[in-house]
Amino acid sequence: MITQAEAEKVFSRFEWERRTPSGWKNADSVAEVTTGPLLTEWKANAAVRAVWKGPDRVVAGLVNPTFAIPAEQDQPSYPRSFVTLSKMNGGEDGPPTAIHYFVQEAPGGPWKAAVETWVATAASVPLAGENVWYAPTTVRLRKAPVAAVSRHAEAAVLSPTAEQDREVCGRFADYISFTTPDEPKSDQFAPEPLIDEAVRELNEKPKQPKLNGLITYTYEHEVTGPQLPVLKLDDGTSLVACPLLRTEQERGKSTTVSFTFNNASAQGALLDAEGKRWRSTEAKLSLTALIELPPAGAPGPARVAACNCADPQLLEVTGKRAD
């Protein structure tokens, strides 16, 4: 298993690559240090930026990393993983904590960051807002912080029911899959403003004046990415990272309905949609939910600690023209 000194070198190189001027605009420069959903997101972000004139977003510099490295006997096979928790440069005392899951696919192979998300941690000051803005998307955080990672002999403690715990990702994917104007409900997940607001905003999209209620959106989700470790926290809860792929369909309610884009939007820019009319479009987007599970055997629903559900990374888009 990787040592902390080796993990520090992996993180430092990853952080240097993502902070270079070309880093998040040219994903080739980070391809050697990223894999899985994160690499897909950075490549897609570079492709979008190549054609879209939208506003640049801040790449948050990361400092003061701590390392959650499982014991080797807890990860006897591959892929192996470790987790880092770090702070934004200049905001070391603030609430957002970046979480990165690093993966080694095979013996002797490179360690690469596969998933990135953010969370409010117990050591942080009270959270004033729920949004963390970073490249390439905006993550919304639950205000209540998560506890510290449990450790035994300095090694991070993994959930003994990790395989079962990860099933929450599929349940969450089903939960947030809906067609507007549905309001998805589930007794398996505690009500959270960050999810309620995201659903509300997605349901507002067809109400835009140019659409006049004649358009529907369907959001379908599936679990993607490598198998990631499930960390045990000091309060007995478990923390599950759920990388998801969203398929978003936009279509008219009848065959006579069409709609337009402009190239000021990311989807419009990828479609080169300016001045054209469309019957339907289908977009693929990447997002990550961070879910907290109650202690084993304890009653109660899962809680979503963070998600970029309202602002996922656009990967690709296709469409059916009306003209």
Side-chain angles (χ1 to χ4, degrees):
M1 194 62 188
I2 194 169
T3 66
Q4 177 157 326
E6 292 168 336
E8 289 173 354
K9 292 180 181 179
V10 170
F11 179 83
S12 295
R13 186 186 175 198
F14 166 73
E15 171 60 4
W16 185 86
E17 291 287 0
R18 71 188 289 280
R19 289 289 292 166
T20 58
S22 63
W24 61 281
K25 295 184 179 181
N26 179 3
D28 289 341
S29 66
V30 294
E32 293 186 0
V33 294
T34 59
T35 189
L38 187 56
L39 178 58
T40 300
E41 289 171 1
W42 285 84
K43 283 185 174 181
N45 186 58
V48 170
R49 292 291 166 182
V51 297
W52 185 38
K53 305 304 180 183
D56 281 348
R57 296 190 174 185
V58 175
V59 181
L62 303 176
V63 297
N64 300 343
T66 59
F67 298 86
I69 303 173
E72 186 169 358
Q73 61 266 27
D74 292 336
Q75 290 189 331
S77 60
Y78 290 83
R80 290 178 170 175
S81 301
F82 72 89
V83 183
T84 64
L85 298 91
S86 56
K87 306 297 286 187
M88 286 191 293
N89 190 19
E92 291 87 340
D93 296 325
T97 295
I99 300 184
H100 289 87
Y101 290 78
F102 287 85
V103 173
Q104 184 188 41
E105 297 288 350
W111 288 88
K112 298 185 178 184
V115 170
E116 175 180 80
T117 187
W118 296 76
V119 72
T121 53
S124 306
V125 298
L127 190 62
E130 291 186 355
N131 294 347
V132 178
W133 196 27
Y134 78 108
T137 65
T138 302
V139 178
R140 294 183 179 179
L141 311 182
R142 190 187 70 201
K143 290 184 178 180
V146 300
V149 176
S150 294
R151 297 178 185 271
H152 176 71
E154 297 305 314
V157 177
L158 300 184
S159 168
T161 57
E163 186 173 351
Q164 178 181 337
D165 294 344
R166 280 189 285 265
E167 292 176 359
V168 75
C169 296
R171 296 196 298 272
F172 183 74
D174 292 341
Y175 169 44
I176 58 169
S177 296
F178 66 98
T179 297
T180 60
D182 292 349
E183 293 283 350
K185 302 293 182 184
S186 174
D187 57 6
Q188 298 186 62
F189 295 92
E192 297 289 355
L194 67 95
I195 297 299
D196 293 342
E197 291 174 8
V199 169
R200 190 177 308 119
E201 290 173 16
L202 294 174
N203 271 322
E204 287 293 320
K205 291 175 70 172
K207 300 178 184 178
Q208 300 172 42
K210 75 181 182 75
L211 301 179
N212 198 29
L214 298 176
I215 305 294
T216 61
Y217 288 82
T218 298
Y219 306 98
E220 297 290 343
H221 299 81
E222 59 185 284
V223 181
T224 187
Q227 180 172 289
L228 299 173
V230 178
L231 298 174
K232 292 291 289 184
L233 305 182
D234 278 345
D235 60 359
T237 60
S238 299
L239 201 60
V240 184
C242 299
L244 303 173
L245 177 67
R246 173 184 293 172
T247 300
E248 176 181 319
Q249 294 181 328
E250 179 181 6
R251 58 187 181 276
K253 289 185 176 180
S254 73
T255 57
T256 61
V257 175
S258 62
F259 51 91
T260 62
F261 289 95
N262 61 60
N263 287 5
S265 68
Q267 288 197 22
L270 285 186
L271 285 169
D272 189 23
E274 194 77 50
K276 302 167 186 173
R277 301 200 66 84
W278 304 84
R279 297 283 188 210
S280 63
T281 61
E282 181 175 286
K284 301 289 186 181
L285 307 101
S286 179
L287 62 147
T288 299
L290 194 64
I291 300 177
E292 188 181 40
L293 293 176
R303 298 194 63 188
V304 182
C307 188
N308 57 330
C309 297
D311 186 25
Q313 171 61 49
L314 176 63
L315 303 180
E316 61 182 63
V317 60
T318 56
K320 181 179 180 180
R321 293 273 300 275
D323 50 6

